[in-house]
């Protein structure tokens, strides 16, 4: 097909994410991808600054992931996970548990995150985590339990499925149209103390008060640790997580961390929660970079202490079971991706990206159209004062030879970890060009 034919059929038949049908803005047909470059069908190459929505941390067409997939396909690409198991699934579960530094330092074996429930996508892992919390409290306290709500901070984003939507920001999130049918959860103000700022106990006072007054209603607290992603790209103090863990322990409330966007090195630590030493949630959600962006895959992890309660309830089991749960192909590629990631000098690799982003995005602060510039690990954000016009900005970025996907006021990059300095410079130069002009 020609690029024009692909674009025409795309407009006629394909519904894209967060888009109308037909799509108001044309999409750019991609022919292939390798390293950090996307080869468009019209012959143009663009440097990918998005890691395909933060997932392709090793870039594209990586031989290690390709070989893992080929080897697994030769054995089996899928088999049901009910009543059956396989080596890729058990090997990955063991590797994930051992990869978490808080697990290694945790004194209480029952609190370690070493029970792995495989899911199809990030938002499904959130659904499973919330279902775990609800069923755990029901099993523990019986039908008289009032623990049916979730406490979360404003500015969060956890996915587009129903229970996940209920804990996304109710005002500035993407799901306000569904508020009348979503479960009503408990929200408090987002953390305001920034990542490198001195801690102020006032930052968590509202949450602490809500916990004191309503802990008998709260099944769990759920939030994105350190980085609020699609809800605003904000970075907050690790001490917030330390105090939150203490409050959850004090009031007997479960703690859920959503590391779908931050897990697997994005902030410079393997998991963002590691910026708060020795803090472990009761339930952890991972996805996106779990498979290195190769396949849709996610997981929900919990502890022996939580898992053991499920045999006590009337159901006797966790009531969830996706058809493609524990897909062998996804497990094999994810294990290869994790081993590849562990072979990197991650602090040096991410530190180099962070240093370059800080230096090269600094001039954006001089633009009268820029509200803020912030960088953490391999995340670079330019927040504009006004929303950008995607019909203008997106083609301009492609013309400049980069692929970024801004939204609202946020122009940001989360590049693959293997990106070369000259490739990253091309991205930051394009961002500076956009930041210097009034959004239209």
């Amino acid at each position: 097909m020609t690029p024009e034919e692909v674009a025409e059929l795309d407009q006629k038949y394909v519904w894209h994410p967060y888009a109308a049908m037909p799509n108001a803005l044309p999409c750019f047909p991609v022919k292939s991808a390798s390293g950090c470059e996307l080869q468009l069908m019209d012959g143009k190459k663009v440097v990918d600054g998005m890691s395909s929505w933060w997932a392709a941390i090793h870039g594209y067409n990586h031989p290690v992931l390709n070989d893992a997939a080929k080897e697994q396909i030769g054995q089996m690409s899928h088999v049901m996970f009910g009543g059956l198991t396989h080596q890729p699934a058990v090997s990955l579960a063991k590797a994930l548990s051992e990869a978490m530094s808080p697990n290694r330092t945790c004194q209480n074996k029952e609190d370690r995150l070493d029970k792995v429930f495989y899911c199809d996508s990030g938002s499904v892992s959130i659904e499973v985590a919330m279902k775990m919390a609800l069923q755990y409290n029901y099993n523990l306290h019986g039908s008289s339990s009032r623990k049916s709500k979730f406490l979360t901070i404003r500015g969060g984003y956890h996915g587009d499925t129903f229970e996940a939507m209920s804990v996304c920001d109710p005002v500035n999130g993407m799901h306000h149209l569904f508020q009348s049918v979503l479960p009503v959860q408990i929200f408090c103000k987002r953390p305001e103390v920034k990542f490198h700022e001195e801690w102020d106990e006032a930052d968590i006072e509202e949450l602490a008060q809500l916990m004191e007054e309503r802990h008998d209603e709260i099944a769990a607290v759920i939030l994105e640790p350190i980085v609020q992603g699609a809800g605003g790209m904000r970075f907050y103090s690790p001490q917030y997580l330390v105090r939150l863990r203490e409050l959850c322990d004090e009031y007997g409330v479960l703690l859920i961390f959503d590391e779908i966007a931050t897990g697997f090195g994005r902030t410079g630590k393997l998991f963002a929660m590691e910026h708060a030493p020795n803090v472990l949630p009761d339930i952890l959600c991972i996805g996106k970079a779990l498979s290195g962006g190769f396949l849709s895959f996610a997981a929900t992890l919990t502890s022996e202490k939580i898992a053991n309660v499920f045999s006590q309830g009337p159901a006797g089991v966790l009531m969830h079971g996706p058809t493609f749960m524990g897909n062998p192909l996804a497990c094999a590629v994810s294990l290869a991706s994790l081993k590849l990631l562990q072979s990197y000098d991650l602090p040096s690799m991410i530190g180099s990206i962070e240093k370059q982003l800080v230096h090269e995005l600094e001039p954006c602060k001089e633009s009268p159209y820029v509200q803020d510039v912030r960088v953490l690990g391999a995340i670079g954000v330019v927040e504009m004062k006004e929303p950008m016009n995607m019909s203008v900005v997106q083609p301009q970025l492609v013309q400049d030879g980069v692929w970024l996907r801004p939204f609202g006021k946020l122009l940001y990059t989360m590049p693959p970890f293997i990106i070369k300095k000259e490739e990253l410079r091309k991205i930051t130069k394009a961002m500076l060009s956009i930041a210097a002009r009034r959004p239209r």
Side-chain angles (χ1 to χ4, degrees):
M1 289 185 191
T2 66
E4 293 76 20
E5 288 171 333
V6 171
E8 181 181 349
L9 291 173
D10 184 83
Q11 282 287 83
K12 184 175 181 181
Y13 293 109
V14 181
W15 204 327
H16 283 266
Y18 309 110
M21 187 70 203
N23 201 346
L25 300 175
C27 292
F28 297 85
V30 180
K31 180 181 180 181
S32 63
S34 182
C36 294
E37 283 191 335
L38 306 181
Q39 173 75 61
L40 303 185
M41 286 189 71
D42 64 4
K44 189 170 186 60
K45 289 184 178 180
V46 293
V47 178
D48 176 28
M50 296 296 295
S51 301
S52 277
W53 269 336
W54 327 339
I57 56 175
H58 311 293
Y60 300 93
N61 220 5
H62 198 291
V64 171
L65 304 192
N66 287 356
D67 289 347
K70 291 171 186 174
E71 182 179 350
Q72 186 57 45
I73 287 172
Q75 299 175 43
M76 58 180 172
S77 61
H78 183 63
V79 67
M80 67 182 288
F81 211 50
L84 299 172
T85 192
H86 46 79
Q87 183 175 329
V90 299
S91 297
L92 177 60
K94 180 175 183 289
L96 286 170
S97 174
E98 292 175 347
M100 294 182 192
S101 61
N103 268 354
R104 298 193 293 272
T105 57
C106 180
Q107 297 300 311
N108 189 347
K109 176 187 161 189
E110 290 190 344
D111 289 334
R112 295 172 190 164
L113 299 173
D114 58 5
K115 305 296 180 263
V116 182
F117 191 98
Y118 292 119
C119 307
D120 302 4
S121 69
S123 62
V124 173
S125 76
I126 295 292
E127 297 284 333
V128 170
M130 296 176 76
K131 188 180 285 188
M132 274 185 184
L134 292 169
Q135 196 175 336
Y136 168 85
N137 280 290
Y138 180 86
N139 290 350
L140 202 61
H141 304 292
S143 58
S144 61
S145 172
R146 296 179 60 226
K147 288 179 169 286
S148 61
K149 293 189 178 295
F150 292 86
L151 172 59
T152 190
I153 57 179
R154 294 187 180 275
Y157 174 81
H158 301 282
D160 299 331
T161 51
F162 255 72
E163 199 72 25
M165 286 195 295
S166 74
V167 287
C168 294
D169 191 284
V171 178
N172 298 315
M174 296 179 270
H175 307 121
H176 60 278
L177 292 175
F178 302 97
Q179 287 303 314
S180 63
V181 293
L182 291 175
V184 178
Q185 311 295 6
I186 304 169
F187 290 85
C188 67
K189 76 179 186 72
R190 68 176 188 243
E192 296 296 340
V193 178
K194 296 178 182 178
F195 184 81
H196 293 293
E197 290 181 344
E198 184 178 349
W199 173 247
D200 182 352
E201 185 66 16
D203 206 31
I204 203 167
E205 282 182 355
E206 183 185 348
L207 186 144
Q209 185 176 349
L210 283 167
M211 291 275 273
E212 180 181 5
E213 295 172 352
R214 305 184 66 176
H215 60 271
D216 60 338
E217 301 174 59
I218 301 170
V221 176
I222 180 171
L223 80 171
E224 302 155 282
I226 305 298
V227 178
Q228 288 191 291
M233 295 293 174
R234 300 181 188 91
F235 316 138
Y236 63 90
S237 171
Q239 187 61 26
Y240 191 96
L241 302 181
V242 174
R243 289 290 294 117
L244 177 58
R245 178 71 271 180
E246 292 170 352
L247 288 166
C248 286
D249 290 341
E250 179 181 352
Y251 291 108
V253 172
L254 297 183
L255 178 58
I256 302 171
F257 281 171
D258 174 355
E259 288 248 21
I260 293 163
T262 52
F264 304 99
R266 182 56 63 180
T267 66
K269 303 282 189 181
L270 194 60
F271 295 94
M273 63 183 176
E274 294 174 15
H275 288 285
N278 302 319
V279 171
L280 267 177
D282 299 292
I283 303 173
L284 176 70
C285 299
I286 56 176
K288 288 191 183 293
L290 170 59
S291 73
F294 202 96
L295 291 163
S296 176
F297 198 45
T300 306
L301 285 74
T302 193
S303 65
E304 181 178 321
K305 181 176 70 176
I306 303 300
N308 283 349
V309 172
F310 283 81
S311 61
Q312 302 174 16
V317 297
L318 172 61
M319 296 302 294
H320 202 90
T323 301
F324 287 94
M325 180 179 178
N327 175 263
L329 183 57
C331 287
V333 173
S334 297
L335 182 59
S337 176
L338 180 57
K339 289 180 177 178
L340 181 60
L341 183 62
Q342 291 172 323
S343 75
Y344 298 157
D345 181 351
L346 198 62
S348 175
M349 178 180 267
I350 303 303
S352 176
I353 294 173
E354 181 180 61
K355 184 178 180 181
Q356 187 175 349
L357 286 172
V358 168
H359 175 68
E360 294 179 3
L361 293 180
E362 180 71 18
C364 292
K365 294 180 179 179
E366 299 174 8
S367 170
Y369 311 116
V370 170
Q371 180 69 36
D372 189 28
V373 177
R374 44 192 182 268
V375 174
L376 180 64
I379 310 170
V381 184
V382 178
E383 182 177 349
M384 307 296 286
K385 293 179 179 178
E386 300 175 21
M388 287 164 283
N389 184 339
M390 286 294 288
S391 66
V392 174
V393 172
Q394 191 76 84
Q396 183 59 56
L397 289 166
V398 172
Q399 185 62 38
D400 289 342
V402 304
W403 180 252
L404 296 174
R405 190 67 174 169
F407 67 95
K409 300 177 183 179
L410 298 176
L411 175 66
Y412 73 99
T413 182
M414 284 189 172
F417 299 166
I418 63 164
I419 195 164
K420 299 172 184 175
K421 287 186 180 297
E422 58 268 25
E423 292 175 323
L424 186 55
R425 190 170 297 115
K426 196 170 187 178
I427 291 171
T428 56
K429 183 179 178 182
M431 293 174 72
L432 181 58
S433 175
I434 296 297
R437 292 174 295 179
R438 181 187 296 276
R440 296 185 185 276

